[in-house]
Amino acid sequence: MQTTLPTLSELTAFSAAARHLNFSAAARELRLTPSAVSRQVARIEALLAQPLFVRQGRSLSLTVGGRLFHQRAAAALRDIETACLELRISGQGGSVLQLASVPTFSTRWLVPRLPMFLAKHPGITLNFRQHLAPGDAFPQDLDVAIRYGNGLWEGVHSDYIGGRRFVPVVSKRYKRLHGLSKVDDVARCLRLHHVQAPQAWAQWAQAHNVWQLNVEDGPRFEQYSVLIQAVLSDLGLALVPEFLVQTELASGALLLACDAPVDLEQGHYLCYRAERLEAKRVTLFRQWLLNQAKEAA
């Protein structure tokens, strides 16, 4: 009986061709001939009754349908790869922790500490997934996620890690050029914002009675890592979670614009579904992470 679905080898060939936009490059990756890759892609197109690529001489580009199919096919192939990894590791007495984390927290706080966790629990393999955007639902197959916000996400438990204490930071050069020392000096400088903390400057101004501050002026950034780099590049000053810039403050790469912290009702949280705590890997990671956060505080 003729199948109505592409085979795994056909999907793999299509995915490689979609990534490279070149049958020869896809063939080298898969150790096939370009004609073999082309035939497998053609069989998928025949099954779907529509082209996935626009072919112009030797150049390839995805059709609208091809782009959509590539997104879904690539995700499915990753799931299959992950399932194989989990089964192989479980057969060796280990386990895989499915983890998502906001980028700045990962690079500045979590990753430098992970060698300690892996040394303590060598049987656990970490599989980092794409981080969850503010409005994303929590995937059923995800063990834990580190998210930034107010700690209220539907259907999950949230343990506070850190990040509620914000401090105004600035580069050495910017502070010297603008003569910053008092809270009122902040009003005459370019202030940088994080899009997920839109009220940060307003709450800071209220806490320190800086009424002449226009709390809406200034560039906005999606990630704290980019925001911090903007400060290091002398673009302006920013309110950031203190625990994300401890290294820069300790080294002197960043300075406090003034001694005027503020505590906000948002931060970084470890999120998980309650039933996931039945898995030992999740319990061990949660205990370790919260201990690390307590020590850092």
Side-chain angles (χ1 to χ4, degrees), residues 10 30 41 74 87 118 125 136 138-139 188 195 198 205 214 223 228 232 234 250 252 255 272 296:
E10 290 167 352
L30 302 175
V41 170
L87 191 59
L118 295 177
T125 298
D136 286 350
F138 199 96
R188 53 186 173 79
V195 295
N214 186 334
Q223 296 181 8
I228 293 166
L232 288 167
D234 306 325
L255 303 174
Y272 51 88

Side-chain angles (χ1 to χ4, degrees), residues 12-29 37 41 52-64 66-67 70:
T12 302
F14 165 74
S15 180
R19 279 186 282 105
H20 293 289
L21 293 178
N22 184 287
F23 285 149
S24 295
R28 285 193 296 272
E29 176 186 320
V37 173
V41 170
L52 299 174
F53 291 98
V54 177
R55 298 164 173 81
Q56 295 179 331
R58 294 185 177 181
S59 67
L60 287 178
S61 60
L62 287 164
T63 64
V64 173
R67 285 195 296 273
H70 176 49

Side-chain angles (χ1 to χ4, degrees), residues 23-176:
F23 285 149
S24 295
R28 285 193 296 272
E29 176 186 320
L30 302 175
R31 297 183 180 180
L32 298 172
T33 64
S35 60
V37 173
S38 179
R39 285 195 300 271
Q40 293 189 80
V41 170
R43 281 197 288 269
I44 297 179
E45 291 177 320
L47 284 171
L48 299 177
Q50 62 176 292
L52 299 174
F53 291 98
V54 177
R55 298 164 173 81
Q56 295 179 331
R58 294 185 177 181
S59 67
L60 287 178
S61 60
L62 287 164
T63 64
V64 173
R67 285 195 296 273
L68 176 61
F69 188 68
H70 176 49
Q71 292 171 359
R72 300 294 180 86
L77 290 171
R78 284 195 299 271
D79 288 343
I80 293 171
E81 182 181 0
T82 298
C84 292
L85 174 66
E86 289 178 343
L87 191 59
R88 184 166 62 248
I89 290 175
S90 65
Q92 298 168 353
S95 60
V96 178
L97 181 76
Q98 301 289 344
L99 166 67
S101 176
V102 287
T104 305
F105 181 88
S106 295
T107 57
R108 289 179 167 265
W109 197 94
L110 180 60
V111 171
R113 291 171 168 81
L114 282 181
M116 293 184 288
F117 175 76
L118 295 177
K120 192 174 182 180
H121 304 292
I124 298 178
T125 298
L126 300 177
N127 185 30
F128 276 82
R129 305 264 293 271
Q130 182 175 350
H131 76 277
L132 302 183
D136 286 350
F138 199 96
Q140 290 288 343
D141 61 340
L142 190 65
D143 287 323
V144 296
I146 295 160
R147 308 188 74 169
Y148 180 74
N150 61 8
L152 301 176
W153 290 279
E154 186 177 356
V156 297
H157 287 268
S158 300
D159 295 325
Y160 175 67
I161 301 170
R164 288 180 183 153
R165 185 178 178 85
F166 280 61
V167 292
V169 294
V170 69
S171 68
K172 279 184 179 180
R173 182 172 182 272
Y174 196 92
K175 184 169 186 175
R176 185 178 68 252

Side-chain angles (χ1 to χ4, degrees), residues 219-242:
R220 283 158 170 74
F221 299 84
E222 287 279 354
Q223 296 181 8
Y224 276 115
S225 58
V226 183
L227 175 60
I228 293 166
Q229 184 56 54
V231 178
L232 288 167
S233 301
D234 306 325
L235 184 61
L237 55 87
L239 269 177
V240 298
E242 186 178 30

